[in-house]
Amino acid sequence: MRRRLLGVLLAFSVVAVACFAVPLLTALSDERTKGLELSRTADLAWFAMLAKYADESGSPMRLQSELLSFHALYGEDVLVVDSDRNLVASAGDIDAGQDEVPHLIDVALRGGTTSYIPSIWPWSSEDVLLARPFGTGIGVSGAIVMRASVDQAAADVAVKHAMVLTGAVVAMGVCALLCGYVTRWVLRPLANLERGVRALAEGRSGAEVPDTSGPPELRDVVSSFNRMSRSLAEAAATQAQLVADASHQLRNPMAALRLRIDAMGGWVPPERDRSYQAVLREVERLEHLMDGLLKLALADSKATSLAAPREAAAGEPALPEAGDEVCDVAVVLPERLDAWRDIADAGGVHLASPSADDGEPVPIRMAESEFAQVLDIVIDNAVKHAGAGATVRTEVRADGPEAYLQVTDDGPGLPAAELPLATRRFWRSTRGHAPGSGLGLTIAERLVVARKGRFELRRVDPHGLSVRIAVPMSGPAPLPRARAQAATARGVRQPTP
């Protein structure tokens, strides 16, 4: 937009300067041309008077002397002939038979005058022929022809044109500076507003932009954006805090309720056992829902902290960016698969070993705890919904600046219309009856996108579901610890069935 606006302003400036300079250049040329024309017309009139005197006295000596002086001063040729075309006097290289001279003599002998000089420009160089008659008031005694040079006039015009063009260039420079200043003044609030909108879209809480520069109308727009950003930040913070507080505060009553219900198990009559089991299932569903809400609140908080810039206090070293955590996919993935293998076997689901690029480290820009949480959600989703007899396969691939993880199952999958809905909060497919809160894939997507990655769901032919995760890599260098050391140094965390 800046280029377009600057281009329009500069084009307008060029047209404005040209509209001023071109007429001025033309006027200067016409003025110098008219001056030369008047000067040579006066010279011809003087020579005509001398020629008349010479014709009356019979002595052309004075006329010849004046012609030679004129030629020596201006370098221009003059020819004087009588009515019979006989030479009376001349100066310079001109005679009655050259070029257009005979025609001009004919015009002059018929009483006509040729005094027109075309407009002179800096590149003009061709001499101009002028002519007029001389004689008494009742007859023409002869003709005078002058070859006028335009070199000096062209040089004068060139000097004046150079001054005008220099002024035009200076004016264009001033206009360019003014256009640049106006463009920055107008567009700086828009650029700040664009950065603020991008920051708000990336999840930065309370993103604001300065509203101290630019036109008043744009400053009002920026002020409105800042008020909207603050309102959204307060609403988001209130919502996240409400979810976190509600989930946390409900844990103790829910735990007490669970203990009481479990203690009542031995006192429930057989005819009430069905109702008792339904109550247990509802309590478990509420526990899963509260856990999911708390994890979602933590995921939102993490995404916001990653989007917000971190600044160090004055005099302190720069703080590391929130997205500098690194983990190795080739280390974390086998651990999580081993942790889920018993649960998958109990459900009749085969959890295949991962397929990676020659077992090389695949470092990604994501905290190990976050990546493990994403893997737990995706594997849990595949094991629960693929069904008995299904196979879950994982594949890791590093391609350019990103690492790709794909978890595929050959279960029933999801219809194409439901794929965009699967990552919505609390959404659950109507095709299955597996327990869950409907928040797992939402949390996984939120964590991946917060790391500037992509979380995609795709159908598998002829049936099944594929979860494709792309996360930026941290670089080709291996992580400080080796894979074998990592497997023995940490215990494998077991997921909750």
Side-chain angles (χ1 to χ4, degrees):
M1 183 176 182
R2 179 179 180 180
R3 291 194 185 95
R4 293 194 295 271
L5 180 58
L6 189 59
V8 170
L9 293 178
L10 287 177
F12 178 77
S13 301
V14 169
V15 172
V17 172
C19 290
F20 172 77
V22 172
L24 181 59
L25 295 174
T26 304
L28 291 174
S29 295
D30 293 343
E31 179 187 11
R32 187 64 181 89
T33 302
K34 182 61 66 175
L36 179 62
E37 184 176 315
L38 292 175
S39 175
R40 294 301 174 262
T41 301
D43 292 334
L44 286 174
W46 170 247
F47 293 146
M49 185 181 67
L50 294 178
K52 176 184 176 183
Y53 175 78
D55 181 60
E56 292 174 349
S57 64
S59 174
M61 296 298 297
R62 185 178 178 186
L63 173 63
Q64 183 67 38
S65 175
E66 290 290 335
L67 293 181
L68 292 175
S69 299
F70 179 82
H71 177 73
L73 180 61
Y74 297 107
E76 299 177 1
D77 305 332
V78 185
L79 174 68
V80 180
V81 295
D82 59 17
S83 58
D84 295 327
R85 301 177 184 272
N86 296 319
L87 178 65
V88 177
S90 68
D93 185 17
I94 186 173
D95 59 57
Q98 288 180 346
D99 302 329
E100 296 293 325
V101 174
H103 172 69
L104 293 177
I105 292 176
D106 291 340
V107 172
L109 292 178
R110 291 196 296 270
T113 300
T114 304
S115 60
Y116 172 72
I117 299 178
S119 294
I120 300 175
W121 297 91
W123 52 85
S124 300
S125 60
E126 186 175 356
D127 295 339
V128 180
L129 291 174
L130 307 175
R132 68 159 292 163
F134 69 89
T136 62
I138 59 175
V140 175
S141 303
I144 304 173
V145 179
M146 177 187 294
R147 181 182 287 119
S149 173
V150 299
D151 292 343
Q152 184 59 45
D156 296 340
V157 170
V159 172
K160 294 181 179 180
H161 281 199
M163 295 173 62
V164 172
L165 292 177
T166 301
V169 171
V170 173
M172 278 302 306
V174 174
C175 289
L177 293 176
L178 184 60
C179 290
Y181 172 77
V182 171
T183 301
R184 286 193 300 270
W185 180 66
V186 172
L187 296 184
R188 185 176 298 165
L190 293 179
N192 294 334
L193 190 60
E194 180 186 8
R195 286 193 293 269
V197 171
R198 187 181 297 114
L200 197 62
E202 292 174 353
R204 297 185 185 180
S205 179
E208 296 189 17
V209 295
D211 56 355
T212 57
S213 62
E217 297 81 3
L218 290 180
R219 291 202 299 269
D220 292 341
V221 173
V222 171
S223 299
S224 300
F225 171 80
N226 289 337
R227 289 193 298 271
M228 179 195 69
S229 178
R230 286 192 293 268
S231 299
L232 290 176
E234 292 173 1
T238 302
Q239 179 185 8
Q241 189 63 39
L242 175 62
V243 172
D245 290 345
S247 301
H248 185 269
Q249 294 298 326
L250 288 174
R251 278 181 175 273
N252 291 336
M254 187 58 64
L257 179 61
R258 180 59 183 263
L259 288 175
R260 287 187 174 89
I261 292 177
D262 289 342
M264 292 172 56
W267 303 90
V268 177
E271 65 272 13
R272 299 294 185 183
D273 185 67
R274 183 176 179 181
S275 298
Y276 175 73
Q277 295 300 326
V279 171
L280 281 178
R281 287 194 297 271
E282 289 301 319
V283 170
E284 290 175 356
R285 190 176 71 84
L286 288 175
E287 288 178 339
H288 283 300
L289 182 59
M290 286 190 300
D291 288 341
L293 287 173
L294 184 58
K295 291 178 181 178
L296 181 60
L298 293 175
D300 287 336
S301 176
K302 184 65 176 179
T304 302
S305 66
L306 288 174
R310 305 181 69 190
E311 298 180 356
E316 295 182 359
L319 294 175
E321 291 293 329
D324 285 346
E325 298 95 337
V326 177
C327 73
D328 188 358
V329 177
V331 172
V332 181
L333 178 59
E335 293 180 359
R336 303 320 304 155
L337 290 176
D338 290 340
W340 281 93
R341 201 171 302 280
D342 292 340
I343 298 176
D345 292 341
V349 178
H350 175 57
L351 206 55
S353 299
S355 171
D357 294 341
D358 301 328
E360 291 296 327
V362 185
I364 60 173
R365 294 188 178 276
M366 194 172 193
E368 182 177 319
S369 59
E370 297 173 21
F371 186 62
Q373 184 178 359
V374 172
L375 287 177
D376 287 342
I377 292 173
V378 174
I379 297 173
D380 175 51
N381 186 77
V383 170
K384 283 194 303 186
H385 297 284
T391 300
V392 178
R393 295 179 175 84
T394 58
E395 180 184 357
V396 179
R397 178 171 56 89
D399 186 6
E402 292 183 320
Y404 296 90
L405 169 66
Q406 190 161 303
V407 180
T408 307
D409 66 72
D410 53 5
L414 288 174
E418 292 186 354
L419 290 178
L421 306 176
T423 54
R424 289 189 180 180
R425 302 185 181 195
F426 304 108
W427 183 87
R428 297 179 63 191
S429 176
T430 57
R431 300 177 49 147
H433 303 284
S437 62
L439 294 173
L441 293 180
T442 304
I443 296 171
E445 182 191 41
R446 188 71 170 133
L447 290 174
V448 172
V449 173
R451 294 289 181 169
K452 302 188 184 304
R454 299 190 304 279
F455 188 90
E456 302 170 353
L457 300 179
R458 300 178 180 179
R459 285 177 51 81
V460 177
D461 291 329
H463 53 80
L465 181 68
S466 176
V467 179
R468 189 170 185 264
I469 300 171
V471 183
M473 296 186 65
S474 66
L479 296 179
R481 58 181 178 177
R483 186 176 309 170
Q485 295 174 344
T488 57
R490 299 192 313 272
V492 177
R493 292 169 292 167
Q494 297 294 329
T496 303

